[in-house]
């Protein structure tokens, strides 16, 4: 069975930093793209970023570019999202979604990030 | 524009057909994919590409595109289809992805 597990969420003050991890099993992680998607409480989905299979190609949505970075360690089947200069609007459940460049079919259950103001 | 617009809510009688739409300029050039999300759960991919269903998705789900509008059609809606549906596609530049605002589907 495929499993995708996010970790590292928590409460962080405005302007602070946090790093999320996404560990996958049951799929060929090194061949797949990793996306991060967030969802504020009671709100819709927002695509945040993606990285290609070897980590050489990353893209971010405008609102986080320059503050967030993402990379992966294929030997550990793990991807990371480093978030800096966090804002209240960054609060939400962060999903790791694994798949392809333009769609993703394996999602974790999410890691909750709360930015206190 | 770099937005995808969905109707906030749609309802359908059990067993009937419903179409959920997604509008945006980028859809003239790019296909949309569709995700279903139920309360407290992670989203589930139901349609990708021109009209492809991942393994395990019932064939009552189908996708289409015309002009600037992508559509998800459920033919013979079932009670378990109740939930939120999100379209996703590239933005006008083709470099980023974006989601529509979501449509809450109620099966009556």
């Amino acid at each position: 069975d495929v499993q995708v597990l996010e970790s590292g969420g928590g409460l962080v003050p405005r302007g602070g930093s946090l790093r999320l991890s996404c560990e996958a099993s049951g799929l060929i992680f090194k061949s797949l793209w990793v996306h991060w998607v967030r969802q504020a409480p009671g709100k819709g989905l927002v695509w945040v970023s993606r990285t290609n299979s070897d980590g050489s190609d990353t893209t971010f949505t405008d609102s986080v570019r320059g503050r967030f970075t993402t990379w992966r360690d294929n030997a550990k089947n793990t991807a990371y999202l480093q978030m800096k200069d966090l804002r209240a609007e960054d609060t939400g459940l962060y999903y790791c979604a694994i798949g392809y460049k333009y769609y993703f079919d394996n999602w974790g259950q999410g890691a909750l990030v709360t930015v206190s103001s | 524009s770099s937005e995808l617009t969905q109707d906030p809510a749609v309802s359908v009688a059990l067993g009937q057909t419903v179409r959920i739409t997604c509008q945006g300029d980028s859809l003239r050039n790019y296909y949309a994919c569709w995700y279903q999300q139920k309360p407290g759960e992670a989203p589930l991919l139901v349609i990708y590409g021109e009209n492809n269903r991942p393994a395990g998705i019932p064939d009552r789900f189908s996708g289409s595109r015309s002009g600037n509008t992508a559509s998800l059609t459920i033919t013979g809606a079932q009670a378990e289809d109740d939930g939120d549906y999100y379209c996703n596609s590239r933005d006008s530049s083709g470099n980023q992805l974006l989601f529509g605002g979501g449509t809450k589907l109620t099966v009556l």
Side-chain angles (χ1 to χ4, degrees), chain B residues 1-6 22-27 68 87 89-92 98-101:
Chain B
S1 70
S2 292
E3 290 184 351
L4 297 177
T5 301
Q6 297 183 241
C22 174
Q23 289 189 302
D25 288 344
S26 66
L27 296 176
N68 72 336
C87 61
S89 187
R90 300 185 231 184
D91 71 352
S92 298
L98 68 160
F99 283 95

Side-chain angles (χ1 to χ4, degrees), chain A residues 35 37 39 43-47 50 59-62 65 95 101-105 107-109, chain B residues 33 35 37 40-45 48-49 54 86 88 90 94-101:
Chain A
H35 299 252
V37 176
Q39 187 168 35
K43 302 296 184 180
L45 302 174
V46 175
W47 179 83
R50 69 177 172 211
T59 307
F60 296 90
T61 192
D62 291 346
R65 190 177 302 113
Y95 291 103
K101 189 173 183 180
Y102 301 118
Y103 64 94
F104 15 97
D105 51 354
W107 295 66
Q109 289 304 305
Chain B
C33 58
Y35 297 89
Q37 187 180 33
E41 297 184 7
L44 173 72
L45 178 69
Y48 66 95
Y86 296 89
N88 177 269
R90 300 185 231 184
N95 293 329
Q96 300 179 31
L97 296 181
L98 68 160
F99 283 95

Side-chain angles (χ1 to χ4, degrees), chain A residues 78-91:
Chain A
T78 301
Y80 304 92
L81 182 69
Q82 176 71 51
M83 304 179 290
K84 298 181 179 179
D85 189 22
L86 283 162
R87 307 167 180 170
E89 55 265 34
D90 295 320
T91 291

Side-chain angles (χ1 to χ4, degrees), chain A residues 20-100:
Chain A
L20 304 181
S21 299
C22 167
E23 184 174 3
S25 60
L27 45 70
I28 307 176
F29 182 79
K30 64 180 181 180
S31 298
L32 298 170
W33 291 68
V34 175
H35 299 252
W36 291 92
V37 176
R38 71 184 178 194
Q39 187 168 35
K43 302 296 184 180
L45 302 174
V46 175
W47 179 83
V48 174
S49 73
R50 69 177 172 211
T51 183
N52 68 340
S53 58
D54 67 5
S56 62
D57 180 3
T58 61
T59 307
F60 296 90
T61 192
D62 291 346
S63 64
V64 309
R65 190 177 302 113
R67 299 188 297 123
F68 290 13
T69 56
T70 186
W71 69 99
R72 59 196 294 166
D73 184 339
N74 286 341
K76 296 182 178 179
N77 282 1
T78 301
Y80 304 92
L81 182 69
Q82 176 71 51
M83 304 179 290
K84 298 181 179 179
D85 189 22
L86 283 162
R87 307 167 180 170
E89 55 265 34
D90 295 320
T91 291
L93 190 62
Y94 282 72
Y95 291 103
C96 173
I98 300 174
Y100 305 91

